Structure formats: structure tokens, C-alpha cells
Amino acid sequence: MDKLPTPPQWPMRFLRRIIKRQYLEEIEGDMEERFQEDVERYGLQKARRLYSWDSIKLFHPVLLKKVGGDHRLNQLGMFQYHLAFVLRRLRRRKVYSLTSIIGLSVGLACFYGVFTWWQYLQDYDGFHHEVEEIHAIRASGKNGVDAFTGLAAPLLSAELLQTTFPSVEAATYTAFFFNEKKIKVAYEQQTFYEEGSIMVSDSGFFKVFDFPIVSGDASTPLHAPHQVVLSEPIAVKLFGSADPI
């Protein structure tokens, strides 16, 4: 097996005296690797001249050992050195670098997605002042031979809870009516169709939940039959800039 050509020894002996130890190993390895590439490209003599010239170019305040006195750290020079080092590594190991970057990107994207989902679960309905005291009733039973569990309970459960358990300060029920088609909303001459659902509840809804009332008396909504509470976008569609109350 042929012996690899060797670079001149004096540049590296000199660099070992003046370059900081934490940089020396990387510099020595990079210069050796570059020397072998230059030998194949330019020949031994020119490769040795380039090797000596590269060692001279390493006279940089960031890399040199302190001789004495007050030497301030050159942040820009250190950044330039590390940037050049990283770019050189990326060029030499393209496949490995690309694989690492893609893996890191996918990992960060997955972490961000999971974190966003977790944050959404933590903040869901978190604007209610007493969110820790709000609980939902789950009903479980059997429908023939099939067992079921869900957020469902008889309509009288809210009233029964308040009369049976003094610790229950307020209770309410909600029922949603869905329509596969758009829901027709009409008032006088205004008619339009809206996607979504209609929720039915009682006067205890605004005692349990802190949804802000933009217009109207916050103490009386849903106290009588045929009363409705409109979201602000629906109210604007029906009444425009006029006061719906």
C-alpha cells in the first residue's frame, strides 16, 4: 500500500505553539484533509506551498493564544470562523448533512405540532374565571346489548343537582340541533342561510360560563320562552349597525 504524502512539518509545529488548544485538533485535521485533496488536484509541491500559506492565514486574534495584557474577545471573528467551519463541513459531507438537517426539521415540526395541540387542550375554554370549578356530566348505560358513554344526561339533571347537592352553585344544560343543510335565519325582510348549529339552553348558562354580553342585560338572557342570544356576526347580518335590543 502506497504511503500518503506528508505536508511540511514546520507550519504545524509553529501553529501548536500559538493556536489555542480547543481549536488545534480541528484545524490540524482540516489542514491534513485539504492537503491530501490538493495533492491529487495540483501535485505534491504546490500542495505543500498551499499548506504553508494556509497556516499563515490562521494568524487570527480569535485563534491565537493570549500573550499578555487585556485582549477583548472578537465576537465577529469567532462567528466568521465557526460559520466557515460549518460551511466547509456541509460541503464535504453533503449526504450526511442533508439527512441530519431533514431529520432535525421533521423532529422540530413534530414537536411544534404536539406542543401546539397540547397548548390548545390546556387553553380550551380557559378564559372562564372559574374554569377549574366547571364540570360536565357524562351518562353511561346500555342500549340493548351495547354499552355507551357520552356527554349526555336528562334535561332535569341541572335542576336536580342544585336541589340535591348544596355545593352546586349553578347548573345548566345545553342541547345542540344540527342540520346537514344550512340553517335558515330570517327577520322581517332579512333572510339568509348559515352553516352550523343551534344551541338550546336555560338561564343558568351565563351563570356557569363567562361569555361576554356585548349588548343587552347580562342578568336576564334566556329567562323567558322564545328568547334568543345571537352571536355578534349573526346580529350584524340581521340588524346591520342598528341596536338589536
Side-chain angles (χ1 to χ4, degrees), residues 2-13:
D2 296 337
K3 186 178 180 181
L4 292 176
T6 57
Q9 298 300 313
W10 70 265
M12 190 51 60
R13 285 199 298 266

Side-chain angles (χ1 to χ4, degrees), residues 8-25:
Q9 298 300 313
W10 70 265
M12 190 51 60
R13 285 199 298 266
F14 183 68
L15 290 177
R16 291 192 184 106
R17 292 178 176 271
I18 64 172
I19 297 296
K20 294 178 181 178
R21 183 173 299 178
Q22 62 265 34
Y23 302 127
L24 189 59
E25 184 177 354

Side-chain angles (χ1 to χ4, degrees), residues 16 21 44 57 62 69-70 77 88 107 154 171 177 180 183 196 200:
R16 291 192 184 106
R21 183 173 299 178
L44 181 59
K57 291 192 294 183
V62 175
D70 183 17
R88 187 163 61 248
F177 294 91
E180 295 181 357
I183 299 172
V200 178

